[in-house]
Amino acid sequence: MTPLRKLILGLSAAAALVLGWWLLTADDRVGVVTVGGGPGAAQQEDPARTDGVADASAPKAQGSGREVLDVPDEGAGGKDEKAAVPLDPRRLEGRVVRQADGEAVPGAKVELLHRDADEFWNLDLAYGKRVETLAETTTGEDGRFGFDVARGRQHRLRATKEGYAPRTALRAFGGAEVVIELGAGATVFGRVSDKADGRPVAGAEVKVSVRGESATLGTTESGPDGTYRLEGLPAETVYVQCTAAGFGEQVWNKLDIEPGKEHRVDLELDKGRLLIGTVTDATTGKPVPGASVARSWTFRDDVLTDGAGRYALAVSERSGYVALHVRAEGYVEQVEPIAVGVERLDVVLRRGGSVKGRVVDGSGAAIAGAYVAAGASYTARQGIGNTDWIRAEVDRNGFFEADGLDPMHVYSLYMRAPGRGTKVYILPRRLAAGEVLDVGDLRLLAAGGVEGRVVDDEGQPVAGMEVSLAGHNADADRLLQGTTAAPLGEGRDNRHVYQFEMRDSRSAADGSFRFTGVAAGTYELRINRRGGDPIELSGVEVRDGEVTEGLVLRLVVGLTIEGRVVRADGQPLPKDTWMMVMANGPGQYQQGEYRSDGTFRFESMKEGLVTVSVLKPPEGFAARPARNVAAGAKDVEIVLVRAAEVSGKVVDADGKPVAGAFVSAMAKGGPSQALVHRTDAEGRFSIEVLPDFVGRITVSMPNQPMRQGHADDVPAGRQDIEVVLK
């Protein structure tokens, strides 16, 4: 069984600002084709069915007893919160229309798809590629279509028609209408070249993927002259991704595809440098052939060690945390930070423990087709959090086994199956290398569900809001019974695996959301907003086989701040610019919603004055923050000006250069002026700042937070700074 894990960057202080930007731009979990309707996730499907189509027997519905979230509702005006007559939650209906004018598209083929990984915070990329086709139909003269579905199950809908670009609607559920817009196909083309010398790169993989979703629109390879071309693409916000053997890192370019247009996106790849080393067994010292070595938790473009355990991998010198990931059958995955300038890194792999058991239903019968994983979350280094995720193979009789569990960590089991409530079980102890723990039969019972609506200040439905359900089954501590281990949530061990206990959805056009596959327990609902504190409802009780419904989450907008990012010279922003806008003030810090046209918006602001600024301006620019901005302001401007530079080197107490140190710039009385940079092999750094910058340069080591150094009253343009790292 091959382990599959993900490195999660759980950050603090300056590192959070740096890698927070990277995560937001490279994240695979934002939104896409919000097509007219698809509600959130919901209730249960018949445990006897595994084909995604429910029978006529409806599960019981349980009233919540807490219908309205107790949050400030100023401005609601006492209006009634009456929703439209709901559609049958076991019926997924919709229309296919022309994007240009909204007219019906008859004769379009619509496929009902299901990707189980859409329904949980999946870190298993191989499993995430599994997509089932459950049914298909053709639209009528009015463009309408419909499917019988399991209540609350999350689906994808793919619509195709000759003369149009195919389009897929994600996060579609029964109980709300989905509108899919078809338009003329667009083209993305360009050239892949070597950043160092401009020469064409042949055989590079170019992929166009929907921003924030696990949905790929097209893949191709560059030709001998480095050119590539993808046609018939739908209008979406996408990333054009490029990678090639022998180059250091994948390139991501954000693009808003417009229907029927051609978009040129040229891509430059950085060879970086070649990292070599060996992979050996910790006990025997012998080489480990066939080990997978990669520069990312995804193991994309990995290399395999040869018979002598040797590897050679191209790595990048980009700013931020860079790590080498190594795994092999039966071994604990090893994650090693790659220091700037290092040319050789040898890795030693340790054998791990194993856990096995059997997945059964309430009567003790085996459940085939279940998904089981073992996971552990832990802090690997200061500011860096890891989640070790190991999928267990499950046979036709429900037996499973996962190996390669790190003896340093306490693991949890994650178990799910169609029509069953998802469960988490905490293992009773750390497992020694070579130890096999048999947990016996573990039961998955009929799925419960959580359903409700998101409304605004006046009780009107709010579509497209991300709604999360957090928590775990009531018997998650079952395997701890009879042990000395503290109950979950107590003691020093961090036994919460965030991804195991969190799932999310988006509200439909009528504001509805639905979650299914929920086991009996107590959960928390949350609206996650880009800017402003999350809105939460705790104590949501779920019973096996029942739906807790009638919940209402009220989104209070309150005071807002709106504005625009502009250039000082009046010219348009650089193409495909993306920035993070922030508001800082006494007792409040928010990230605002930034739009592709340069406008931004903050909601639910407190009374008082804040500074509105930008993190990570476009290359060659610095952002002049807007100061003393009052809540309620509508025409705030953040001005981009041509950047100046401060540069220098970092040395230790003996005067030797320090490679891989974090360096940041902070203006007097203001927010950070730039992302954190890393020093190179000779300890040098260079940061772009405002032309009138005067402030502090701060240096720290990512793995040694107590080691710091400062240079104060540094003006823009200074190039001889020397900071001593103590």
Side-chain angles (χ1 to χ4, degrees), residues 490-507:
E490 300 181 14
R492 299 179 61 185
D493 290 330
N494 178 17
R495 289 167 291 164
H496 288 277
V497 179
Y498 181 77
Q499 295 83 4
F500 286 0
E501 300 187 14
M502 179 71 70
R503 65 192 88 188
D504 58 35
S505 180
R506 293 191 187 276
S507 57

Side-chain angles (χ1 to χ4, degrees), residues 9 27 64 156 187-189 192 239 275 368 389 450 688 720:
L9 302 178
D27 183 30
S64 69
R156 297 183 174 199
T187 298
V188 175
F189 71 102
V192 183
Y239 283 120
L275 181 69
W389 183 297
V450 175
E688 293 180 334
D720 60 348

Side-chain angles (χ1 to χ4, degrees), residues 131-455:
V131 180
E132 304 173 76
T133 300
L134 305 180
E136 65 178 58
T137 189
T138 302
T139 57
E141 289 300 317
D142 56 359
R144 299 197 64 85
F145 64 87
F147 297 100
D148 291 328
V149 296
R151 181 175 182 176
R153 195 178 192 187
Q154 191 167 159
H155 298 87
R156 297 183 174 199
L157 294 167
R158 177 178 167 84
T160 55
K161 176 72 183 288
E162 186 175 355
Y164 297 92
R167 202 168 194 191
T168 300
L170 308 179
R171 305 176 184 269
F173 302 85
E177 184 175 82
V178 179
V179 179
I180 305 176
E181 297 180 342
L182 296 184
T187 298
V188 175
F189 71 102
R191 181 175 182 268
V192 183
S193 61
D194 187 323
K195 188 175 183 179
D197 55 21
R199 293 182 180 179
V201 177
E205 182 187 69
V206 180
K207 182 169 69 172
V208 176
S209 299
V210 177
R211 180 175 182 263
E213 295 287 354
S214 297
T216 299
L217 303 181
T219 303
T220 188
E221 286 191 356
S222 59
D225 60 352
T227 61
Y228 72 91
R229 188 177 184 87
L230 284 165
E231 300 179 340
L233 302 176
E236 301 287 356
T237 297
V238 301
Y239 283 120
V240 182
Q241 303 168 51
C242 182
T243 187
F247 287 84
E249 191 173 15
Q250 186 176 17
V251 173
W252 297 64
N253 285 59
K254 182 173 174 289
L255 173 67
D256 290 320
I257 297 179
E258 299 181 49
K261 291 191 176 182
E262 292 198 345
H263 302 268
R264 177 163 189 147
V265 180
D266 292 328
L267 305 162
E268 291 183 330
L269 293 175
D270 184 1
K271 279 187 177 177
R273 57 188 167 80
L274 197 63
L275 181 69
I276 63 171
T278 59
V279 179
T280 56
D281 185 295
T283 302
T284 66
K286 294 181 179 180
V288 180
S292 178
V293 182
R295 54 183 177 263
S296 165
W297 69 270
T298 66
F299 283 85
R300 181 184 177 91
D301 300 318
D302 63 335
V303 297
L304 300 180
T305 55
D306 63 15
R310 296 172 300 193
Y311 74 89
L313 180 71
V315 297
S316 171
E317 294 285 20
R318 69 173 173 84
S319 297
Y321 178 82
V322 183
L324 189 73
H325 296 251
V326 184
R327 67 185 181 195
E329 191 79 16
Y331 289 92
V332 174
E333 181 178 318
Q334 192 71 11
V335 182
E336 296 283 354
I338 304 174
V340 175
V342 69
E343 296 179 352
R344 183 182 183 90
L345 183 57
D346 295 327
V347 179
V348 177
L349 294 184
R350 298 172 290 122
R351 291 283 181 178
S354 300
V355 58
K356 67 179 183 179
R358 186 168 178 252
V359 187
V360 299
D361 63 16
S363 64
I367 299 178
Y371 180 90
V372 178
S377 292
Y378 59 96
T379 300
R381 290 169 179 82
Q382 181 67 28
I384 303 296
N386 288 357
T387 292
D388 193 13
W389 183 297
I390 308 171
R391 186 171 83 222
E393 299 296 336
V394 183
D395 68 18
R396 58 191 296 178
N397 296 313
F399 290 101
F400 67 85
E401 183 172 0
D403 62 12
L405 277 65
D406 192 334
M408 299 294 293
H409 309 305
V410 176
Y411 283 76
S412 299
L413 285 175
Y414 177 82
M415 311 173 65
R416 58 182 290 113
R420 306 286 169 177
T422 298
K423 288 195 174 185
V424 175
Y425 287 111
I426 315 303
L427 297 188
R429 63 181 182 277
R430 296 180 176 89
L431 302 183
E435 179 183 1
V436 179
L437 174 66
D438 190 341
V439 296
D441 289 355
L442 297 177
R443 300 177 185 274
L444 294 184
L445 305 179
V450 175
E451 300 183 357
R453 292 188 299 132
V454 179
V455 299

